[in-house]
Amino acid sequence: MPALTDIQLSDAAAASLALQATGQTLHGKRPFAALLLAPDNKTILLSSLSLSHVRHAECELARNAAENFAWEYLADCTMVSTWEPCAMCAGTIYWAHIGRLVYLASEKALHGVVGADNPENLSLDLPCRTVFERGQTAVEVIGPVAGWEEKVIEDSKRYWDAHRGG
């Protein structure tokens, strides 16, 4: 898999955060976004927003990718997500055979933004790395990304401050 340069990482992080912000402001979506980079680490093949509490951005993107691209090709692709994927999304990324995941902000940080026991976004204390470690094929994981986690948190507060506690 081609290495991801700092510039490519920064460009992809900015694109995913912009997608998350657009999803909130223009479409009223929850603050989660994911995009899929081609093996060149520049071309955005797909993007997705969170559609509901069970149709997460990462799952939707991984399913779409698996239906539209070859297994071998996806092994050289990178998913960039604003938030660390939950266990459901990590499993879907694994089965789609996406070779690398970059997430900007951690599940633990999300829990702090969403608030305890928020029925709109209950969280699991199950890091995506733990899910991937149980698999038979490797998924490279980069995250949280320094300097970007704070930006994702700040952007997400716009939504969660209005939706805390249901």
Side-chain angles (χ1 to χ4, degrees):
M1 172 179 295
L4 188 63
T5 69
D6 289 342
I7 292 171
Q8 291 168 332
L9 176 59
S10 182
D11 289 348
S16 63
L17 184 56
L19 178 63
Q20 175 177 289
T22 299
Q24 287 183 80
T25 57
L26 294 181
H27 308 295
K29 298 294 183 187
R30 301 163 72 224
F32 299 95
L35 55 87
L36 184 68
L37 297 177
D40 68 5
N41 293 321
K42 297 175 189 172
T43 306
I44 298 174
L45 299 170
L46 298 169
S47 64
S48 185
L49 298 168
S50 179
L51 302 178
S52 74
H53 69 285
V54 294
R55 293 185 65 194
H56 298 178
E58 301 88 350
C59 275
E60 294 297 309
L61 187 141
R63 287 184 186 112
N64 194 359
E67 290 178 2
N68 287 285
F69 298 101
W71 170 277
E72 297 80 14
Y73 183 77
L74 288 173
D76 289 332
C77 290
T78 300
M79 179 186 287
V80 180
S81 177
T82 51
W83 288 99
E84 179 177 2
C86 70
M88 175 181 70
C89 293
T92 309
I93 292 164
Y94 173 80
W95 281 303
H97 203 60
I98 296 170
R100 179 173 30 222
L101 167 69
V102 174
Y103 66 86
L104 305 182
S106 70
E107 174 79 16
K108 291 212 181 288
L110 175 64
H111 184 75
V113 173
V114 170
D117 301 323
N118 186 332
E120 188 174 334
N121 198 79
L122 296 172
S123 59
L124 294 169
D125 187 11
L126 182 59
C128 67
R129 283 179 172 88
T130 302
V131 174
F132 295 137
E133 287 169 0
R134 301 299 195 274
Q136 298 169 347
T137 59
V139 176
E140 179 186 352
V141 179
I142 300 169
V145 179
W148 287 98
E149 185 168 45
E150 298 78 15
K151 293 174 185 177
V152 171
I153 290 168
E154 189 60 36
D155 180 72
S156 298
K157 284 182 179 180
R158 178 174 53 239
Y159 180 89
W160 291 112
D161 285 352
H163 293 86
R164 192 166 287 113

